Every structure is written in structure tokens, then in C-alpha cells.
Amino acid sequence: MTDLYRQAAEALKNLTPGVAVTGAGISAESGIPTFRGEGGIWEKYPPDEYATIEAWNANPDKVWKFWMEMFETLSGSEPNPGHRALAELEEQGRIQGVITQNIDNLHQEAGSKKVIEYHGNARYLVTDKFGHRERFDPNIHGGDRAPLSFDGTAMRPDVVMFGEPIPSGAMVESALLAEACKVMLVVGTSAQVYPGARLPMLAHQNGAFIIEANTEETDFTHTITHVFLKGPAGETLPKLLDCLKAI
Ligand code: BV8
């Protein structure tokens, strides 16, 4: 067991409450491409054309094509050992749950019980006007054009697009958890998107021990991170679990 893993395991064992914050990186090994960097989603679909509320309002059918491709990718995805390790840490009481920026539902499918969906969940469609919500079904909603709801308005994925506020409940609950936690596990996020990127900073400001698990260094690594576990989450998190059992 390296010193870094020992420090991280001891923090999770001795400091409570703990909480995890995750980004697209934890789902990379489930076959869902991340957003930024080599081969990221934004290479093919520039976010200002496909991921903002302005783009959606201007041309729902164009943005819907991006989402049909995303739905295809999501439908074939399964939780990986990284998701399962976080569910196990919750089971052991080492973390209260997960605040995720991801919209893929994989934490829930891996067994995590307390999941705050900071950016929503793409398994559902919703209308802006009345908030009518349906579970996405390719046989019902699939096609080249955004499906319409009762009121004739386009149904859109129940996710937070750029330029949209974070759902107030998720925003407040996440901030409270980040302020109160004594240890935070930050997994697979590039720390580029706000206000989500503020959560680890809030935890750090309140004295929390920050463990970061990522394949690359981020803006957090040399500023707020106490222990940086380099590598894919599907390997680093199970290894951390093993270290916890050994100490
Ligand atoms: C808002 C949902 C206000 C849909 C997403 C200028 C400066 C600062 C902020 C802004 C600015 N201009 C505009 C803003 C605000 C903007 C923002 O932050 N922009 C950024 C890009 C500059 N934010 C917003 O618009 C937010 N809303 O501010 O509203 C408001 C208030 C009131 C009224 C109206 C408005 C909304 C942000 C949410 C947008 N929705 N997603 C969808 O999923 O398509 S964001 C999108 O980015 C995803 O949710 C993603 O999760 C999220 C964050 O990215 P990451 O998860 O970190 O993913 P990324 O690819 O970047 O990084 C992956 C990481 O994993 C990397 O570090 C990589 O090294 C690592 N990795 C890779 N493989 C692995 C791994 N790690 C471990 N294991 C591996 N195997």
C-alpha cells in the first residue's frame, strides 16, 4: 500500500461525514466519452451549438440530434468498478452519498442510494412550460425531431444545459453537504464547470480533507487536493477500498 493510498484510506476511516463529488471521468470506463480533451463529446458537438439553453430554444430539432446520439451511448452503458466502489463506501458509512455532475444514472444502477443529480438525469424528458416528465423511450420519443408534449412544446432531456440554473434543491443540499463534510472524494472531474466546481473548494474552505482521483491533474490538484490518486477510477477506487479493509 503506497503512502498516498494509506493517507486517503485513513482519512475516509477517521473523518466523518464524507461525501463524493463525481464528473464525467468516472463514467469513461463505462463507455461514455467525457466532454473535454481528446475524443471528448465537445469535439464533435461544440457546446455553444448543442449544450446551451439558447441553442435548444433556437433549434430544438438540431439539438435533439445530439441527444439521440447521447441516448444511444447511455443505453449501452453499465456501471463500472468505480461506481460500485462508491456504492460500497456509502454502504460502509465512509461517505453519505454522491453529488454527481453526470446525467447517466450509473451511480444509482451501481447501488448508490443517496445521489444528488447536480445536472439532472438524461433518462427522463421534461417540458419547460408545465414540467411534464416522461421516462425516455426510443420507441416512443426516438426520431429526428424533438418529441412534443400535450401543450405542443418540445420535450427536452431533464438535464441542466449551459445557461440554466442548477435545480435549487440539488444546489442547496450539495452546498450544505460540501460545507459540513470532513473528507471529500473528488472523482473524474476537470473542475471547469461552475457552480459544480465550487463544491470541492467549499469543502476545502471548511477544513475538509480532499482526495482527488483522476487520470490527469486538474486545477484542484496543486491548490486544494491533499491526496491525488492518479489513474482510472475503475482502478483507483477499488484499490482505495482494499486499503481501507487493510488498515
Ligand atoms: C449556470 C449536462 C447560471 C448536460 C452540463 C465563465 C466562467 C465561469 C463560469 C461560466 C463562464 N461562462 C459561463 C459560465 C457558467 C457555465 C460554465 O461553468 N461554463 C464553463 C464551461 C466555463 N455554467 C453554467 O452554465 C451552469 N449554469 O451557471 O447558470 C444561471 C443562474 C440563474 C439563472 C440562469 C442561469 C450549468 C452548467 C451545467 C451544464 N451541463 N451537463 C450534459 O451532460 O450534456 S455540464 C457538463 O460538464 C457535464 O455535466 C459534465 O459532467 C460537466 C463537468 O465536466 P466534467 O464532469 O468535469 O467532465 P470533463 O469531460 O470536463 O472532465 C472529465 C475529467 O475526467 C477530466 O479531468 C479527465 O482527466 C478525467 N477522467 C477521464 N477518464 C477518467 C477520468 N478520471 C478518472 N477515471 C477515468 N477513467
Side-chain angles (χ1 to χ4, degrees):
M1 182 190 316
T2 67
D3 190 42
L4 286 178
Y5 276 89
R6 175 178 294 280
Q7 284 179 54
E10 281 170 356
L12 282 167
K13 183 172 182 173
N14 302 324
L15 300 173
T16 53
V19 71
V21 171
T22 64
I26 197 169
S27 296
E29 292 152 273
S30 296
I32 301 175
T34 59
F35 291 86
R36 296 164 184 82
E38 189 82 13
I41 297 171
W42 298 152
E43 268 181 13
K44 182 175 177 187
Y45 292 102
D48 53 349
E49 278 188 60
Y50 289 94
T52 66
I53 188 60
E54 293 80 13
W56 170 261
N57 290 331
N59 189 341
D61 292 341
K62 173 184 174 187
V63 176
W64 182 256
K65 289 183 183 56
F66 157 67
W67 280 104
M68 282 305 288
E69 199 168 311
M70 278 292 279
F71 293 140
E72 184 71 27
T73 305
L74 293 174
S75 67
S77 64
E78 297 283 331
N80 67 57
H83 295 105
R84 284 195 286 276
L86 291 185
E88 175 60 27
L89 285 173
E90 181 187 354
E91 185 64 29
Q92 293 178 10
R94 307 295 183 198
I95 58 173
Q96 295 172 288
V98 180
I99 302 166
T100 187
Q101 299 173 89
N102 301 340
I103 56 170
D104 53 33
N105 208 60
L106 292 181
H107 285 299
Q108 293 92 324
E109 290 172 29
S112 286
K113 294 184 179 56
K114 282 185 69 84
V115 179
I116 297 178
E117 295 176 318
Y118 206 70
H119 290 158
N121 187 319
R123 285 216 178 351
Y124 295 92
L125 301 179
V126 67
T127 58
D128 286 323
K129 203 167 169 188
F130 295 114
H132 173 74
R133 196 169 188 253
E134 296 175 12
R135 183 159 173 115
F136 173 74
D137 178 339
N139 302 314
I140 301 172
H141 304 106
D144 287 344
R145 308 197 60 184
L148 301 180
S149 183
F150 296 103
D151 58 8
T153 59
M155 298 198 78
R156 39 142 319 157
D158 192 13
V159 303
V160 179
M161 296 183 188
F162 284 106
E164 287 193 295
I166 305 303
S168 54
M171 179 101 161
V172 172
E173 190 176 21
S174 300
L176 291 172
L177 286 171
E179 274 171 7
C181 75
K182 292 286 180 277
V183 56
M184 179 179 274
L185 197 42
V186 182
V187 186
T189 182
S190 63
Q192 300 297 307
V193 174
Y194 287 78
R198 273 200 209 103
L199 293 169
M201 298 176 196
L202 195 54
H204 181 261
Q205 276 162 17
N206 286 279
F209 188 93
I210 308 295
I211 304 164
E212 188 180 12
N214 200 311
T215 45
E216 293 161 20
E217 295 189 351
T218 69
D219 292 349
F220 291 151
T221 310
H222 297 293
T223 53
I224 64 169
T225 295
H226 292 96
V227 169
F228 181 67
L229 304 178
K230 187 172 172 63
E235 292 170 20
T236 55
L237 299 186
K239 193 170 165 187
L240 183 55
L241 258 185
D242 290 343
C243 294
L244 259 167
K245 288 177 190 142
I247 60 172

